[in-house]
Amino acid sequence: MKTKIAAIGEKDIMLIFKAIGADVHPITEYSQAASKIKKLAKEGYGIIFITENIASELDQLIKSYSDQFLPSIVVIPGLGKRNNYALKRLRQAIIKAVGIDVIPEK
Amino acid sequence: MIANVNATRMELLRLKKRLSLAKRGHKLLKDKQDELMRQLMEIIDDVKEARLEIEREFQSILQSFTIAKSKMGPHQAEEALLFPTKKLSVSVTKKNLMSVRVPIYEREVEGDIIPYGYLNTSGKMDDSLINFEKFLESLLNLAEKEKTVQLMAEEIEETRRRVNALEYKLIPELEETTKYITMKLSENERSNIVRLMKVKDIVRSH
């Protein structure tokens, strides 16, 4: 099954994704991102790249896709401040499954 | 808790059948849970390492890309990348991992990563794009792995709930109810015998 790739994020970062042929959706406000993700998921995009800052705002929405086969939402670090959203999410998944935190804190 | 049942032999047979089925299901689910857990533990470190590695790498690529862009000026950079010649599509296949369906991504690429002529663009741009192209493979890999972890975590949680429901609710309930019925039945039996003996006594004394 063929699937498409999309990227959502700040305009500066989107340019590089455009170069590889992904469908890019630059956004300026977080409120746009939620509806965009929903739309992309419905249209059958397989992989959606999203920058960390936006992802942490849309935590609930992203979690709601975690039990579905498609799409796979991949968090990428953005420019500027880091918030380790992806690692936090990984940790939460483990806690959910195992009941304890097995990833040691740095 | 004892289920609300009639204390009959038929009910007893039915319950015994259900109990043995529940026990078999419990064992199977428990095995599934253990195996899922083992596999999750196996990949979890990989995912974490890959994630850290990719974040580091992506940031350095992004930095060089941004520098290249600012060298060229934002409008020119945008113009240069306006029509990407590279076509990236990914084919997804399902893999069945302990009844969890996980995606396997395979990329299909066409075209060159650099869509512009070399005249007006900075060499740094070329570098960062080529790096990014190489990097894409590991990015897809990570996407696959992270999805696997998420799906497995969900599955484990679900399985654990089922196992617990069987272990702490259904099986004890069935056991108690069968016990209750056997007690009731043997009590009936005894009272019947006693009654017969009593009747016999009365008959004899006449």
Side-chain angles (χ1 to χ4, degrees), chain B residues 4 7 15 22 28 46 49 85-86 97 128 149 152 167 179 182 202:
Chain B
N4 188 16
L15 282 179
L28 281 173
D46 283 359
E49 286 299 312
T85 47
K86 194 176 169 75
L97 203 76
S128 58
V149 168
M152 269 171 100
E167 190 172 337
K179 200 175 161 200
T182 28
I202 295 169

Side-chain angles (χ1 to χ4, degrees), chain A residues 47-66:
Chain A
I47 303 178
I48 299 174
F49 292 109
I50 185 166
T51 50
E52 213 169 52
N53 295 333
I54 300 170
S56 61
E57 293 288 321
L58 302 172
D59 191 41
Q60 284 299 322
L61 182 68
I62 290 175
K63 269 192 197 134
S64 71
Y65 287 111
S66 69

Side-chain angles (χ1 to χ4, degrees), chain A residues 4-28 32-33 36-37 39-40 43 45 47-51 54 76, chain B residues 58 62 65 69 77-78 81-84 86 88 113 129 132 136 139:
Chain A
K4 294 175 281 183
I5 295 180
I8 299 175
E10 292 87 0
K11 201 163 177 247
D12 294 332
I13 303 172
M14 287 304 100
L15 213 50
I16 195 165
F17 278 100
K18 187 159 189 165
I20 57 161
D23 296 338
V24 295
H25 300 270
I27 60 156
T28 44
Q32 296 173 306
K36 202 124 244 174
I37 291 180
K39 202 172 137 229
L40 292 176
E43 282 171 15
Y45 280 85
I47 303 178
I48 299 174
F49 292 109
I50 185 166
T51 50
I54 300 170
I76 48 170
Chain B
F58 185 71
L62 211 55
F65 183 73
K69 213 178 84 180
E78 231 168 283
L81 297 170
L82 197 56
F83 286 107
K86 194 176 169 75
L88 177 74
I113 178 86
L129 283 183
F132 189 60
L136 205 62
L139 204 58

Side-chain angles (χ1 to χ4, degrees), chain A residues 58-96:
Chain A
L58 302 172
D59 191 41
Q60 284 299 322
L61 182 68
I62 290 175
K63 269 192 197 134
S64 71
Y65 287 111
S66 69
D67 60 343
Q68 285 169 29
F69 182 68
L70 288 177
S72 138
I73 296 178
V74 185
V75 180
I76 48 170
L79 288 168
K81 225 171 64 199
R82 305 290 325 277
N83 62 11
N84 281 328
Y85 176 76
L87 272 188
K88 271 184 216 152
R89 191 152 145 249
L90 189 65
R91 176 167 285 146
Q92 277 169 3
I94 303 307
I95 292 175
K96 202 173 173 187

Side-chain angles (χ1 to χ4, degrees), chain B residues 110-146:
Chain B
E110 280 170 41
D112 197 17
I113 178 86
I114 295 169
Y116 44 76
Y118 292 109
L119 194 57
N120 286 328
T121 50
S122 116
K124 251 207 142 111
M125 184 77 119
D126 305 350
D127 276 350
S128 58
L129 283 183
I130 289 167
N131 276 339
F132 189 60
E133 190 185 16
K134 277 185 211 142
F135 172 69
L136 205 62
E137 183 79 48
S138 44
L139 204 58
L140 283 183
N141 217 339
L142 179 77
E144 192 180 297
K145 275 185 187 156
E146 280 195 338

Side-chain angles (χ1 to χ4, degrees), chain B residues 48-66:
Chain B
K48 196 190 152 212
E49 286 299 312
R51 166 51 75 178
L52 288 175
E53 174 84 33
I54 269 165
E55 295 203 339
R56 225 173 307 140
E57 215 169 311
F58 185 71
Q59 261 189 331
S60 72
I61 288 174
L62 211 55
Q63 265 161 18
S64 72
F65 183 73
T66 316

